[in-house]
C-alpha cells in the first residue's frame, strides 16, 4: 500500500525516490524500452480488468491507439478542467504499464536501480506486487532502488502506473498539448555497493579544474569502507590528483557521515581551448572510485568544457566577451509521438538550429531530454535551462502558496543537480509565467548557494520594474516588449542588468515581421543583447482523417515539405474534440511539424550572418568584409561571388575570403575584373557573396550555405514601356479583356488574414470596413486614341475608394497604369494593388527580385535580389491554418509559363513591388480551417501590390512597425503585360 494518494497530495511526493545527480548511468544499462502491456483506466482507483492492450514505451498513450478514449488536448493558459489548486478531477485517466524483466545474474551483490526518464504527471512504481515509490515532475527522471525487491537471475514484473492529473498539473500549465504516459526512456542499471553518488565539475577558461565527488555506500552494506579513494583522468592532459587538503578539511569539519564521503580532484592546466557556442571544444573526463585495494568500484565519464559565465554591469559575458544571444524557444515535440524523441531526432533539430544562425536555446518550459544537453555541448549552443514550473492559469495564488513551496524548490534543485556539468548551460531559469512570490525566492536562494557560477533568470521577477535590483533574476528577460520600450530602458540610465528577451517575435503562421528592426536595435544599443524567438516548431499532430485519431509512428513519411499526405492533416486545438482549447495557437513555430524550415528561418539566418560587407571604395570596387563572430575567425568558411543583372542573367566567380579575426574587418581584393563583366545595358545589378562551410562541421557538411550578404552595384533604369502600338479591349463593365487572363485586374485592399491579423485585430478592422467584400462600381470609360481610361469606385463603410486604370497598347504588350485614392477613414489596410487570374496551365514562374524564399515588407532581409525560378505550386507556403502566403517582396519583373510549352506572360514593374502567384483566392484561404479543405485552382491568382502591410507578430507581441502600415492616401503603380 502507498502511504498517500499522490495524485491528491498538495505537497511534493518522493517516497523512496532517489536523489537527483549528474552521473550518467545510461552506458551499460539495461533498456526497458519497447512494448509493454497496457490498460487505460478512467480513474486511479478503478479496478484492473483482464483485458490488456500493447503500448510502445516511451510513448504517450494519447498518441497511440491503446489510449482510445483519451486523446491529445491543447490549451495555452486555461487549465483543461475547472478545479482550483491543488484539486484535480475525479475523472482522471490512469495508464497501467506492465512487463516482465529478467534481472541479469551477474548483478548479484550489486545495487540495482530503476530509472524512468519522464512520466506525466504522477508515477507510481510497483515491482512483483510490492510498492516501491512515487515520482512527480513530468520532465525529469525518477530513480528507485530495487536492490531489496528483485533477485538477480530471476524474472520480475515491473508495473508503472501513471496518473494523468494531479496537484502537480497546476504547475505544468505550459502552452502545449496535454498528454499522458511515459515519454522518455526506461532503464535498469547496477552499481557496486560503493558508488559515486554525484560529481560536480568546475572548469574555467583559464584551465582551473575542480571535480567534487560524493561517494555513498548502500545502506545494507553498513558504513563506508576505510581506504576508498578517487582518481581522475582528463583527455590530452592525463591523471588528476586527489586534493588531500580538501579531504582533510572535510574530515576535520566532520562533513563526512558514515554513509557519505566527499573528495575533490583539482588541477590547473595550461593550453586548454575554451568552450563557446562557436568553438565547442570538449575534453573527456573520467572519474574513478576505488576500493581500498585499488580495484575500481565505480566510474563516471563526462565531456567537459572550460568556460566562464559572468554578468558585468549590464552585460552577460562568455569567457569575458559580450555575446549576442540569437535564441529560440524549444519544446519537446514530435508530430507522431507527442513529445518523445530519440537522440538522432534531437541531433537533426539542433543541426537545423545551428545552420540557421541560432546560438542559443531556452528549454521552454522544463528541462530537456539528457540527449539535448549532450548535443548542445557537442554542437555548440548556449542553453537557458528552465525548471518544470508554470502555473499560468493560477499563477498569483500558487506563487506564494506554501503547499507548493517544496515542489518549486524540488524542481529547480533537481534540474540543477542533473545538468550542472554541461558547459552549454549558461543560465538557469526558475520557470515560466507563474507570477512572482516567496516560492520563487526560496528556489532562487537554494540555486544561488549551490551554483554561484551561473546567473539565473525569471521573467516574472522583473515584470513590474526592469530596474529593480533585489529580485530573483540576474537578467531582465521580458516577453514581447516593444522595440520602443527596450531601447528606452537601455538609454534611460536606470538599467542595472542585461536585457535579453526570453520571448519575442511570435512565429505563428505567416509571421516574424520586423526581425531586422529588432536586430538593428540589438546590435546598435548598448544594454540590449538579443533574445529568444517563440518558438522552434509548429505543434501540429498528424491526424488520420478516417477516424480523427493521431496517426502515430506507423504514419512516418506521410508528410513532406510541411504538407500532410492525402488522408491526413495537421491537427491543432479542437481537432480531437478537446474543449476548452486554444485552436491553432500551438502552430507558432519556425519549422513545420515535419521539421521543414519556414521562410522566416532564412530571415534569421541572414540577420545572424557571421560575414558582413560594406564598401571601402565603391568607385574602386573595393569591399570590406567584417567578422561578426565573438570567438572564431573566418577560416572555416569559403565563398563565391554571384553577380546578377536584371536584363543579363547571373555570373559566378570564386571569392577569396580572408581569415579575419573575431570582431575584425579586412579589405577584399578589388573587384574590377569581375565588375568589368557586367554589361552596360544589363539594368539593375547586385553582387551577392554566397558563404558556405569550407569543411565538414559537426552540424553541417562541407558546402552548406551559411549566409548571403549582398551589395547593390547599379540602380534600376527608369521604367519605360515603349511607343504606343495596337489596341485595347474592355468589356461593358470596363474590365480588361486579354487572351492571357481569365479574370481581369481589379483593385485589392484585403488579404486572407494571417494569424497575426486575426489575433492582433487588423482582420476585424478590415471586415468592419468591408474590405473583404468590396463591390466595384464603374464610373466611366474614356478612350483617347488607343489609350483607355477606366474609373471605378469601391464602397467601404468609411468612404469610397476611387480607382483609375489607364490601358495603353505598347510595342511589346500592354501598359497598365493605376491610381487608387483611399479616404482618411480607410486606413491600415492589408494591401493596395491589383489582382487578376491567368489562363490555366501556367505552372512555372521566373522573377528578378528578392528570393527565392517567401518575403514581405517587414521580413525581407533573408531574400537576396537575383534571378529566381520555381513552380507556381512551390511559391505557396502551407501554414497550418490557411492564410495569406507565397508573397515575394521587391520583385522587379516576373514571367509565368507552361512546363509543357505554349504561350506565357511576362510582367515588368515600374518599381520593386510585392507580388504573389498562387492557386488560391484570398476568400478560399479565409474560409478553410485546414489544407484538406482547399482545392487548388487551375488558373494562378496573381497579386501586384503598390503597398502591402507588414506581418508583425501581433498574435502574441507587438504589431508591425509604423513604416510597414498601409494608410489613407494616393497610391500609383504601373506595369506592362506582355506575351512570353
Amino acid at each position: 500500500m502507498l502511504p498517500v494518494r499522490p495524485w491528491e497530495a498538495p505537497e511534493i511526493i518522493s517516497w523512496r525516490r532517489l536523489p537527483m545527480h549528474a552521473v550518467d548511468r545510461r552506458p551499460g544499462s539495461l533498456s526497458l524500452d519497447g512494448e509493454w502491456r497496457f490498460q487505460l483506466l478512467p480513474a486511479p482507483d478503478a479496478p484492473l480488468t483482464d483485458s490488456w492492450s500493447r503500448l510502445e514505451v516511451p510513448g504517450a498513450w494519447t498518441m497511440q491507439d491503446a489510449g482510445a478514449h483519451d486523446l491529445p488536448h491543447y490549451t495555452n493558459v486555461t487549465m483543461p478542467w475547472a478545479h482550483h489548486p491543488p484539486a484535480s478531477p475525479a475523472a482522471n485517466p490512469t495508464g497501467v504499464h506492465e512487463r516482465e524483466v529478467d534481472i541479469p545474474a551477474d548483478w548479484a551483490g550489486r545495487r540495482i536501480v530503476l530509472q524512468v526518464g519522464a512520466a506525466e504527471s504522477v508515477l507510481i512504481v510497483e515491482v512483483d506486487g510490492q510498492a516501491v515509490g512515487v515520482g512527480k515532475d513530468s520532465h525529469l527522471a525518477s530513480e528507485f532502488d530495487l536492490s531489496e525487491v528483485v533477485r538477480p537471475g530471476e524474472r520480475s514484473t515491473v508495473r508503472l502506473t501513471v496518473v494523468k492529473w494531479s496537484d502537480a498539473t497546476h504547475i505544468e500549465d505550459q502552452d502545449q498539448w496535454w498528454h499522458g504516459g511515459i515519454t522518455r526512456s526506461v532503464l535498469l542499471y547496477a552499481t557496486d555497493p560503493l558508488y559515486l553518488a554525484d560529481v560536480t565539475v568546475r572548469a574555467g577558461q583559464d584551465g582551473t579544474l575542480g571535480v567534487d565527488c560524493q561517494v555513498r555506500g548502500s545502506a545494507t552494506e553498513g558504513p563506508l569502507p576505510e581506504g576508498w579513494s578517487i582518481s581522475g583522468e582528463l583527455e590530452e592532459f592525463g591523471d588528476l590528483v586527489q586534493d588531500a587538503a580538501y579531504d582533510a578539511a572535510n574530515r576535520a569539519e566532520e562533513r563526512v557521515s558514515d554513509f557519505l564521503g566527499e573528495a575533490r580532484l583539482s588541477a590547473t592546466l595550461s593550453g586548454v581551448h575554451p568552450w563557446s557556442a562557436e568553438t565547442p571544444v570538449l575534453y573527456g573526463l573520467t572519474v574513478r572510485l576505488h576500493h581500498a585495494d585499488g580495484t575500481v568500484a565505480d566510474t563516471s565519464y563526462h565531456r567537459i568544457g572550460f568556460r566562464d559565465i559572468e554578468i558585468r554591469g549590464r552585460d552577460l559575458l562568455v569567457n569575458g566577451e559580450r555575446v549576442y544571444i540569437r535564441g529560440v524557444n524549444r519544446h519537446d515535440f514530435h508530430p507522431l509521438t507527442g513529445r518523445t524523441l530519440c537522440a538522432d531526432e534531437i541531433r537533426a533539430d539542433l543541426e537545423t538550429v545551428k545552420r540557421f544562425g541560432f546560438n542559443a536555446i531556452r528549454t521552454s518550459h522544463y528541462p530537456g531530454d539528457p540527449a539535448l544537453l549532450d548535443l548542445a555541448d557537442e554542437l555548440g549552443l548556449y542553453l537557458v535551462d528552465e525548471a518544470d514550473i508554470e502555473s499560468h492559469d493560477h499563477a498569483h495564488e500558487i506563487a506564494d502558496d506554501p503547499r507548493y513551496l517544496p515542489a518549486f524548490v524540488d524542481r529547480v534543485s533537481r534540474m540543477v543537480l542533473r545538468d550542472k556539468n554541461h558547459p552549454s548551460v549558461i543560465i538557469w531559469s526558475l520557470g515560466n509565467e507563474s507570477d512572482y512570490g516567496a516560492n520563487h525566492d526560496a528556489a532562487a536562494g537554494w540555486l544561488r548557494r549551490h551554483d554561484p557560477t551561473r546567473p539565473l533568470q525569471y521573467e516574472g521577477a522583473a515584470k513590474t520594474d526592469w530596474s529593480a535590483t533585489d529580485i530573483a533574476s540576474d537578467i531582465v528577460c521580458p516577453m514581447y516588449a516593444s522595440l520602443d520600450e527596450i531601447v528606452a530602458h537601455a538609454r534611460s540610465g536606470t538599467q542595472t542588468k542585461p536585457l535579453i528577451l526570453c520571448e519575442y517575435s511570435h512565429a505563428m503562421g505567416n509571421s516574424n515581421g520586423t526581425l531586422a528592426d529588432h536586430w538593428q536595435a540589438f546590435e546598435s544599443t548598448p544594454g540590449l543583447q538579443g533574445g529568444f524567438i517563440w518558438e522552434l516548431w509548429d505543434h501540429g499532430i498528424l491526424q488520420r482523417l478516417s477516424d480523427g485519431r493521431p496517426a502515430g509512428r506507423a504514419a512516418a513519411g506521410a508528410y513532406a515539405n510541411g504538407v500532410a499526405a492525402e488522408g491526413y492533416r495537421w491537427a491543432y486545438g479542437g481537432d480531437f474534440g478537446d474543449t476548452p482549447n486554444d485552436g491553432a495557437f500551438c502552430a507558432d513555430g519556425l519549422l513545420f511539424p515535419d521539421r521543414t524550415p519556414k521562410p522566416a528561418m532564412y530571415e534569421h539566418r541572414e540577420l545572424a550572418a557571421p560575414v558582413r560587407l560594406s564598401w571601402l571604395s565603391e568607385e574602386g570596387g573595393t569591399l570590406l568584409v567584417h567578422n561578426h563572430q565573438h570567438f572564431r575567425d573566418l577560416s572555416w568558411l569559403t565563398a563565391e561571388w554571384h553577380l546578377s543583372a536584371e536584363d543579363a542573367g547571373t555570373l559566378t566567380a570564386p571569392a577569396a575570403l580572408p581569415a579575419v579575426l573575431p570582431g575584425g574587418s579586412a579589405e577584399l581584393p578589388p573587384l574590377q575584373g569581375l565588375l568589368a563583366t557586367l554589361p552596360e545595358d544589363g539594368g539593375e545589378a547586385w553582387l551577392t557573396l554566397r558563404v558556405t562551410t569550407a569543411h565538414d562541421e559537426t552540424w553541417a557538411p562541407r558546402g552548406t550555405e551559411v549566409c548571403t550578404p549582398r551589395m547593390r552595384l547599379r540602380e534600376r533604369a527608369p521604367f519605360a514601356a515603349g511607343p504606343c502600338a495596337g489596341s485595347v479591349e474592355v468589356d461593358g463593365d470596363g474590365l480588361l479583356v486579354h487572351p492571357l487572363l481569365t479574370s481581369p485586374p481589379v483593385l485589392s485592399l484585403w488579404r486572407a488574414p494571417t494569424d497575426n491579423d486575426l489575433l492582433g485585430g487588423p482582420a476585424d478592422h478590415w471586415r468592419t470596413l468591408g474590405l473583404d467584400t468590396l463591390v466595384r462600381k464603374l464610373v466611366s470609360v474614356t478612350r483617347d486614341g488607343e489609350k483607355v481610361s477606366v474609373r471605378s469606385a469601391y464602397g467601404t463603410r468609411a468612404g469610397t475608394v476611387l480607382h483609375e486604370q489607364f490601358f495603353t497598347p505598347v510595342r511589346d504588350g500592354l501598359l497598365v497604369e493605376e491610381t487608387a485614392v483611399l479616404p482618411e477613414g480607410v486606413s491600415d489596410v492589408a494591401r493596395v494593388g491589383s489582382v487578376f487570374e491567368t489562363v490555366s496551365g501556367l505552372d512555372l514562374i521566373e522573377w528578378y527580385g528578392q528570393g527565392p524564399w517567401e518575403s514581405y515588407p517587414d521580413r525581407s532581409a533573408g531574400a537576396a535580389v537575383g534571378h529566381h525560378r520555381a513552380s507556381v505550386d512551390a511559391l505557396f507556403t502551407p501554414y497550418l491554418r490557411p492564410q495569406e502566403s507565397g508573397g515575394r517582396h521587391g520583385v522587379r519583373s516576373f514571367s509565368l509559363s507552361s512546363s509543357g510549352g505554349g504561350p506565357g506572360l511576362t510582367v515588368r514593374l515600374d518599381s520593386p513591388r510585392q507580388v504573389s502567384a498562387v492557386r488560391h483566392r484570398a476568400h478560399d484561404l479565409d474560409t478553410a480551417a485546414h489544407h484538406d479543405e482547399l482545392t487548388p485552382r487551375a488558373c494562378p491568382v496573381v497579386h501586384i501590390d503598390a503597398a502591402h502591410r507588414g506581418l508583425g507578430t501581433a498574435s502574441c507581441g507587438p504589431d508591425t512597425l509604423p513604416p510597414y502600415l498601409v494608410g489613407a492616401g494616393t497610391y500609383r503603380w504601373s506595369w506592362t503585360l506582355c506575351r512570353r
Side-chain angles (χ1 to χ4, degrees):
M1 292 288 293
L2 292 172
V4 294
R5 294 162 60 90
W7 56 92
E8 295 178 346
E11 68 278 359
I12 194 69
I13 294 295
S14 55
W15 178 65
R16 294 191 68 171
R17 185 176 67 180
L18 296 173
M20 185 59 80
H21 56 83
V23 179
D24 185 1
R25 296 299 184 180
R26 288 171 292 175
S29 64
L30 175 63
S31 173
L32 301 187
D33 292 351
E35 269 199 358
W36 289 54
R37 293 188 296 277
F38 179 75
Q39 286 194 38
L40 183 59
L41 307 178
D45 293 331
L48 283 169
T49 71
D50 295 330
S51 178
W52 292 86
S53 58
R54 311 296 292 183
L55 189 83
E56 192 72 20
V57 173
W61 68 67
T62 44
M63 296 295 293
Q64 302 184 55
D65 287 338
H69 58 272
D70 189 33
L71 297 175
H73 189 154
Y74 171 63
T75 63
N76 173 20
V77 177
T78 305
M79 293 290 289
W81 24 263
H83 298 70
H84 286 266
S88 55
N92 193 348
T94 300
V96 181
H97 308 70
E98 190 175 275
R99 65 163 288 173
E100 278 70 50
V101 181
D102 293 321
I103 309 300
D106 60 1
W107 285 7
R110 295 174 66 79
R111 170 177 165 267
I112 300 173
V113 177
L114 172 71
Q115 182 186 100
V116 181
E120 302 180 30
S121 91
V122 176
L123 170 68
I124 302 169
V125 179
E126 300 168 88
V127 177
D128 294 332
Q130 180 176 339
V132 171
V134 172
K136 291 186 181 178
D137 189 347
S138 294
H139 302 285
L140 280 175
S142 292
E143 292 190 343
F144 306 90
D145 191 334
L146 305 187
S147 305
E148 298 180 47
V149 182
V150 299
R151 294 179 179 274
E154 297 185 6
R155 174 169 289 188
S156 287
T157 299
V158 176
R159 176 179 290 175
L160 305 179
T161 300
V162 179
V163 184
K164 185 174 184 180
W165 309 123
S166 72
D167 63 292
T169 308
H170 290 283
I171 56 173
E172 295 178 355
D173 182 16
Q174 292 155 334
D175 185 15
Q176 59 179 333
W177 290 96
W178 295 99
H179 290 293
I182 299 167
T183 55
R184 294 182 188 161
S185 290
V186 181
L187 57 88
L188 279 177
Y189 69 84
T191 73
D192 191 276
L194 181 69
Y195 63 95
L196 288 164
D198 201 6
V199 174
T200 303
V201 178
R202 304 271 195 262
Q205 66 162 329
D206 60 357
T208 57
L209 175 63
V211 184
D212 293 343
C213 305
Q214 287 189 352
V215 176
R216 291 188 183 273
S218 296
T220 56
E221 299 294 322
L224 286 174
E226 291 290 334
W228 61 266
S229 63
I230 294 288
S231 70
E233 180 182 355
L234 185 67
E235 176 187 7
E236 296 186 19
F237 291 93
D239 294 338
L240 305 178
V241 179
Q242 189 166 339
D243 189 331
Y246 173 86
D247 296 346
N250 277 345
R251 295 179 190 280
E253 295 173 17
E254 298 183 350
R255 289 176 60 190
V256 182
S257 71
D258 282 346
F259 299 99
L260 173 64
E262 294 178 324
R264 173 176 289 171
L265 301 168
S266 60
T268 301
L269 309 167
S270 60
V272 298
H273 299 283
W275 185 97
S276 71
E278 294 171 17
T279 58
V281 179
L282 297 174
Y283 297 88
L285 170 67
T286 302
V287 177
R288 297 184 180 91
L289 169 63
H290 301 270
H291 291 290
D293 62 2
T295 58
V296 176
D298 200 5
T299 301
S300 182
Y301 180 77
H302 305 262
R303 300 180 75 194
I304 68 170
F306 290 83
R307 60 106 182 93
D308 292 318
I309 308 298
E310 68 173 309
I311 290 177
R312 189 181 302 161
R314 54 182 186 169
D315 293 329
L316 173 71
L317 306 181
V318 176
N319 298 333
E321 294 289 329
R322 181 180 187 269
V323 299
Y324 289 115
I325 300 300
R326 304 181 187 277
V328 64
N329 288 274
R330 178 194 178 276
H331 270 296
D332 286 343
F333 174 74
H334 194 285
L336 303 181
T337 67
R339 49 177 151 267
T340 296
L341 296 98
C342 68
D344 287 345
E345 289 166 333
I346 296 173
R347 173 181 283 275
D349 291 337
L350 298 193
E351 288 174 353
T352 298
V353 166
K354 289 282 290 187
R355 290 177 190 179
F356 284 92
F358 293 94
N359 68 359
I361 286 176
R362 174 174 170 238
T363 68
S364 52
H365 301 290
Y366 40 80
D369 187 286
L372 173 73
L373 290 100
D374 294 340
L375 289 163
D377 293 342
E378 175 190 337
L379 300 176
L381 285 162
Y382 302 123
L383 296 185
V384 174
D385 205 357
E386 191 149 274
D388 188 12
I389 300 172
E390 181 174 339
S391 55
H392 207 156
D393 200 14
H394 299 284
H396 183 70
E397 308 99 288
I398 289 176
D400 285 307
D401 189 335
R403 294 174 298 179
Y404 281 91
L405 173 62
F408 274 59
V409 177
D410 185 74
R411 288 169 182 240
V412 170
S413 63
R414 294 181 77 239
M415 169 186 70
V416 173
L417 290 168
R418 188 195 73 166
D419 297 342
K420 59 191 173 185
N421 295 335
H422 289 278
S424 55
V425 178
I426 65 167
I427 299 170
W428 301 115
S429 169
L430 301 180
N432 183 66
E433 293 178 319
S434 301
D435 207 338
Y436 180 43
N439 293 341
H440 295 98
D441 287 332
W446 181 94
L447 198 160
R448 293 188 195 281
R449 171 78 182 198
H450 186 83
D451 182 20
T453 70
R454 296 175 175 93
L456 64 90
Q457 73 174 47
Y458 177 60
E459 180 265 343
K463 194 170 187 176
T464 58
D465 184 0
W466 291 354
S467 299
T469 56
D470 189 20
I471 56 174
S473 186
D474 301 315
I475 295 169
V476 174
C477 47
M479 290 183 178
Y480 307 106
S482 72
L483 279 177
D484 286 346
E485 290 173 316
I486 62 175
V487 170
H489 176 65
R491 295 175 177 171
S492 67
T494 64
Q495 183 180 4
T496 60
K497 304 172 185 289
L499 193 153
I500 302 170
L501 291 100
C502 71
E503 294 179 22
Y504 81 105
S505 193
H506 193 246
M508 185 176 181
N510 192 358
S511 186
N512 301 109
T514 74
L515 266 182
D517 303 87
H518 277 79
W519 275 100
Q520 191 280 329
F522 294 156
E523 294 185 357
S524 64
T525 310
L528 304 183
Q529 233 173 310
F532 296 82
I533 294 173
W534 185 268
E535 65 169 310
L536 186 53
W537 41 63
D538 287 347
H539 293 204
I541 292 176
L542 193 68
Q543 182 183 38
R544 293 191 299 253
L545 293 176
S546 59
D547 60 7
R549 293 192 53 78
R553 283 281 192 192
Y559 44 73
N561 300 318
V563 179
E566 186 176 353
Y568 299 90
R569 70 177 179 186
W570 296 123
Y572 47 76
D575 286 339
F576 295 108
D578 43 319
T579 303
N581 68 78
D582 284 284
F585 204 71
C586 59
D588 51 6
L590 291 163
L591 306 177
F592 288 105
D594 68 351
R595 277 42 184 181
T596 299
K598 292 183 182 178
M601 287 287 274
Y602 296 93
E603 181 85 350
H604 184 273
R605 187 185 73 177
E606 210 56 43
L607 296 172
V611 178
R612 315 283 175 92
L613 296 176
S614 68
W615 284 114
L616 178 63
S617 170
E618 189 167 357
E619 290 184 3
T622 305
L623 285 165
L624 283 177
V625 61
H626 308 275
N627 181 353
H628 272 243
Q629 298 173 108
H630 302 292
F631 303 105
R632 200 176 189 187
D633 67 24
L634 298 184
S635 61
W636 65 285
L637 298 170
T638 189
E640 181 181 63
W641 292 116
H642 287 233
L643 178 59
S644 179
E646 181 173 4
D647 299 324
T650 300
L651 301 172
T652 62
L657 197 62
V660 185
L661 294 176
S665 301
E667 187 177 322
L668 287 170
L671 302 173
Q672 288 95 337
L674 177 61
L675 300 183
T677 63
L678 184 64
E680 291 186 7
D681 59 351
E684 182 182 10
W686 285 76
L687 184 66
T688 299
L689 185 67
R690 182 175 180 268
V691 181
T692 60
T693 53
H695 312 284
D696 288 345
E697 299 286 325
T698 55
W699 46 271
R702 178 177 179 268
T704 298
E705 190 168 275
V706 174
C707 58
T708 55
R710 77 281 314 215
M711 303 293 288
R712 191 201 302 267
L713 295 178
R714 190 165 62 201
E715 297 287 344
R716 197 172 191 231
F719 182 70
C724 183
S727 61
V728 176
E729 182 182 354
V730 296
D731 65 15
D733 292 320
L735 297 173
L736 177 69
V737 177
H738 193 282
L740 294 176
L741 305 184
T742 58
S743 180
V746 294
L747 181 67
S748 175
L749 303 178
W750 183 66
R751 68 188 182 199
T754 66
D755 292 312
N756 290 334
D757 298 335
L758 286 172
L759 297 177
D764 290 338
H765 168 65
W766 301 335
R767 294 187 203 279
T768 299
L769 290 175
L771 303 186
D772 57 329
T773 56
L774 280 181
V775 176
R776 173 182 175 272
K777 180 181 179 181
L778 177 63
V779 175
S780 65
V781 177
T782 304
R783 286 189 177 271
D784 181 7
E786 296 302 328
K787 186 174 185 177
V788 177
S789 171
V790 178
R791 300 184 72 235
S792 305
Y794 292 80
T796 77
R797 296 187 180 95
T800 299
V801 176
L802 297 177
H803 179 222
E804 190 165 16
Q805 294 173 307
F806 294 92
F807 300 117
T808 305
V810 292
R811 183 178 56 201
D812 52 355
L814 178 70
L815 170 63
V816 183
E817 299 169 284
E818 305 192 61
T819 301
V821 181
L822 278 59
E824 281 301 316
V826 183
S827 61
D828 193 9
V829 300
R831 62 181 1 135
V832 177
S834 316
V835 59
F836 58 86
E837 297 177 24
T838 75
V839 294
S840 64
L842 302 185
D843 54 357
L844 297 176
I845 183 168
E846 299 175 66
W847 74 98
Y848 184 76
Q850 294 188 252
W853 332 113
E854 175 193 86
S855 55
Y856 283 82
D858 61 349
R859 200 192 69 212
S860 62
V865 176
H867 292 278
H868 306 288
R869 176 184 173 90
S871 70
V872 170
D873 291 337
L875 290 192
F876 181 68
T877 306
Y879 297 108
L880 259 67
R881 191 194 63 77
Q883 57 196 274
E884 160 67 32
S885 76
R888 298 301 188 272
H889 185 61
V891 174
R892 281 73 165 165
S893 59
F894 66 94
S895 298
L896 288 163
S897 61
S898 170
S899 57
L905 61 84
T906 294
V907 172
R908 185 173 174 85
L909 304 163
D910 60 337
S911 296
R913 301 293 187 185
Q914 183 79 20
V915 170
S916 67
V918 296
R919 297 198 184 277
H920 307 286
R921 295 174 181 167
H923 180 75
D924 301 337
L925 298 170
D926 182 41
T927 55
H930 297 85
H931 286 271
D932 60 284
E933 301 167 21
L934 287 171
T935 301
R937 294 180 180 271
C939 301
V941 180
V942 179
H943 280 271
I944 299 171
D945 294 329
H948 194 104
R949 192 186 197 275
L951 300 169
T953 178
S955 55
C956 190
D959 198 354
T960 193
L961 297 173
Y964 307 113
L965 297 177
V966 181
T970 300
Y971 294 84
R972 294 182 175 87
W973 66 106
S974 57
W975 44 286
T976 58
L977 174 63
C978 310
R979 284 181 176 271
R980 177 182 170 86

